[in-house]
Amino acid sequence: MKTITVNIVTPDGPVYDSEVSMVIAVTASGEMGVLPGHIPTVAPLGIGAVRLKKENSTELVAVSGGFLEIRPEKVTILAQSAERATDIDIARAQESAKRAEALLQAKKDEVDFKRAELALKRAMNRINVYEGNV
Amino acid sequence: MASLRDIKNRITSTKKTSQITRAMQMVSASKLNRAEMNAKAFVPYMAKIQDVVASIAAGSNDASHPMMTTRPVKKTAYLVITSDRGLVGGYNSNILRTVSNKIRERHTSNDEFVILSIGRKGRDFFAKQGMTILESAIALPDHPSFADIKEITRKAVGMFSEGAYDEVYMYYNHFVSAIQQEVTETKVLPLTDIKPTGATSSYEFDPSAEAILEVLLPQYAESLIFGAVLDGKASEHAASMTAMKSATDNASELIDGLTLSYNRARQAAITQEITEIVGGAAALE
């Protein structure tokens, strides 16, 4: 089976580096599946889970903010933050989800609202990846 | 001559001080190690992002972005990276001197520029001079992660886009080696000098080159700042290590001198005592 190298890098260091058979990521224009031999592409990433399919298993990585660079034999994901399911601090994610929800309820000005919305999205993404239901 | 007890006290207190400085030196040495590792971990990210930015900039000439175009400068921002505390030798004063000189060279009034400060020392210094501090981040951890400085980088880049200022210069101590740090000036924004790194490939852009630049350029500028913070932290720990090493050396020199005068004073006291005893015995005869 053909494979493609996946690198996930963040400012705090590399997070993931392995051979997989398929990468599925949430880009700005929708979900995108990448197989080996893909045409060179760059696409911005949304907040979401990156699914890395191997022969008979799937790994999940929660990413937020960044972009995806695809070359025929290599995929590089540059994200401001990225965590593998096993590295996620679930207590912290739940905490920040709660905080963001409280802020959303409070309904202050628009900037705060947007920020809380994003925070909630990130937290939910982490929780989903941790629980593996994506 | 100082009394025996006085000298003894001074020796003891200098010894205590040197114990502290030696401990601080060792702490800084281990922190420097970590900081260097952090800076190294950041390199692949920076290299990659530079690669992609360069290939987009080179590939499509019509893909322009407000962050890449130079506009008439009405206001300049100076982003100054210092430490939060002292005991780091010339680390802070070197930077602050350079920035003050540059400001004096370029500007005639305080209205022409603003300061963005990372680190307490810089903030206090510029506040004392009556300059405008638009934004500051203090009490950063010794090994900052990207999340720790995201707030200020986002604001710094955001205010440029909103037009609060028209160019951003960044000052930090570049880590050359454990005993040498160099004050470095970098122009962060606008991003005018993005050079292709050679092996650029042409990409498809999804949805468009402009949309990618929209995401990519702020991230690039923020990464530049983050890289400087990591570099600055490594320099800070190195400077602190060197400063504490010389303090320890000075202390042991001082102790040597004091021990010598202590022994002299002791000898003098003994001699005097013997003279008195001999004198007393002679008087009895």
Side-chain angles (χ1 to χ4, degrees):
Chain A
M1 196 166 180
K2 271 180 109 176
T3 57
I4 187 164
T5 313
V6 180
N7 259 316
I8 302 181
V9 246
T10 70
D12 298 322
V15 173
Y16 189 90
D17 182 7
S18 172
E19 298 275 326
V20 304
S21 53
M22 184 180 184
V23 183
I24 304 169
V26 186
T27 68
S29 46
E31 281 217 332
M32 184 174 179
V34 181
L35 292 166
H38 197 286
I39 187 170
T41 307
V42 178
L45 280 178
I47 296 169
V50 173
R51 273 174 283 169
L52 303 151
K53 286 207 168 157
K54 291 191 173 173
E55 209 136 318
N56 41 22
S57 67
T58 304
E59 276 191 80
L60 290 171
V61 179
V63 299
S64 67
F67 61 96
L68 180 71
E69 187 223 14
I70 304 166
R71 293 179 191 223
E73 73 296 343
K74 196 173 176 191
V75 174
T76 311
I77 294 172
L78 290 165
Q80 299 207 324
S81 76
E83 287 133 351
R84 302 169 74 148
T86 44
D87 297 335
I88 289 175
D89 184 346
I90 188 69
R92 210 184 123 203
Q94 276 161 348
E95 185 74 16
S96 69
K98 250 185 233 155
R99 209 169 39 232
E101 265 169 2
L103 267 176
L104 284 178
Q105 295 296 325
K107 272 195 200 131
K108 273 199 260 164
D109 55 276
E110 203 166 323
V111 181
D112 276 351
F113 196 79
K114 271 231 168 97
R115 212 180 264 176
E117 221 170 42
L118 282 177
L120 181 63
K121 224 169 157 186
R122 279 197 297 267
M124 289 315 291
N125 179 34
R126 286 203 175 100
I127 294 170
N128 285 339
V129 167
Y130 181 80
E131 289 166 355
N133 54 7
V134 178
Chain B
M1 190 187 259
S3 78
L4 267 182
R5 184 195 295 241
D6 284 347
I7 300 176
K8 185 94 192 154
N9 278 345
R10 280 201 63 194
I11 292 178
T12 326
S13 80
T14 316
K15 256 187 193 153
K16 287 262 153 62
T17 312
S18 82
Q19 273 171 2
I20 292 170
T21 55
R22 183 168 295 132
M24 286 173 80
Q25 179 198 335
M26 288 193 280
V27 169
S28 293
S30 84
K31 279 183 180 167
L32 172 62
N33 249 332
R34 256 304 285 288
E36 271 188 287
M37 259 158 49
N38 287 348
K40 228 170 254 162
F42 176 67
V43 170
Y45 179 83
M46 196 64 218
K48 203 75 215 170
I49 205 165
Q50 207 150 12
D51 228 33
V52 178
V53 171
S55 69
I56 293 178
S60 52
N61 292 327
D62 47 314
S64 72
H65 188 274
M67 282 173 75
M68 289 170 88
T69 44
T70 317
R71 54 194 192 216
V73 176
K74 285 191 248 56
K75 213 163 211 181
T76 308
Y78 292 95
L79 177 68
V80 186
I81 300 171
T82 58
S83 72
D84 278 337
R85 58 174 186 79
L87 296 178
V88 285
Y91 177 85
N92 289 315
S93 51
N94 279 345
I95 282 199
L96 297 176
R97 193 180 330 113
T98 311
V99 178
S100 315
N101 288 345
K102 286 274 175 202
I103 286 177
R104 226 169 295 138
E105 245 170 62
R106 288 181 189 156
H107 306 287
T108 46
S109 99
N110 276 3
D111 303 328
E112 291 173 16
F113 62 90
V114 291
I115 305 281
L116 307 165
S117 163
I118 297 180
R120 183 175 283 125
K121 288 281 168 186
R123 188 196 62 176
D124 293 352
F125 176 82
F126 291 113
K128 209 183 256 171
Q129 310 227 323
M131 297 171 180
T132 322
I133 296 167
L134 217 52
E135 212 46 71
S136 70
I138 53 168
L140 283 184
D142 280 322
H143 306 294
S145 69
F146 190 66
D148 293 319
I149 66 139
K150 209 161 136 197
E151 185 82 13
I152 187 161
T153 55
R154 207 182 39 215
K155 278 185 188 155
V157 175
M159 283 191 287
F160 173 83
S161 309
E162 287 161 14
Y165 35 75
D166 308 294
E167 54 180 359
V168 181
Y169 289 95
M170 174 166 72
Y171 291 87
Y172 64 100
N173 270 315
H174 171 57
F175 177 78
V176 182
S177 72
I179 48 163
Q180 197 190 353
Q181 296 91 38
E182 231 171 43
V183 178
T184 310
E185 179 195 61
T186 320
K187 190 174 186 182
V188 185
L189 289 166
L191 298 160
T192 45
D193 54 343
I194 299 171
K195 288 176 207 79
T197 42
T200 50
S201 39
S202 53
Y203 294 105
E204 291 283 311
F205 300 112
D206 175 38
S208 68
E210 281 79 15
I212 306 263
L213 285 181
E214 201 65 47
V215 178
L216 194 52
L217 289 182
Q219 205 174 341
Y220 178 65
E222 286 174 19
S223 310
L224 276 180
I225 300 173
F226 181 60
V229 170
L230 288 183
D231 204 346
K233 277 286 173 194
S235 303
E236 181 189 329
H237 297 314
S240 151
M241 190 178 88
T242 319
M244 288 304 118
K245 183 169 167 20
S246 61
T248 312
D249 291 350
N250 286 344
S252 54
E253 216 169 281
L254 200 61
I255 289 169
D256 284 351
L258 285 171
T259 313
L260 193 65
S261 43
Y262 175 77
N263 286 340
R264 272 206 196 115
R266 189 172 54 95
Q267 197 58 58
I270 293 168
T271 313
Q272 195 185 358
E273 214 168 300
I274 291 174
T275 323
E276 277 165 10
I277 291 169
V278 172
L284 282 180
E285 271 171 24

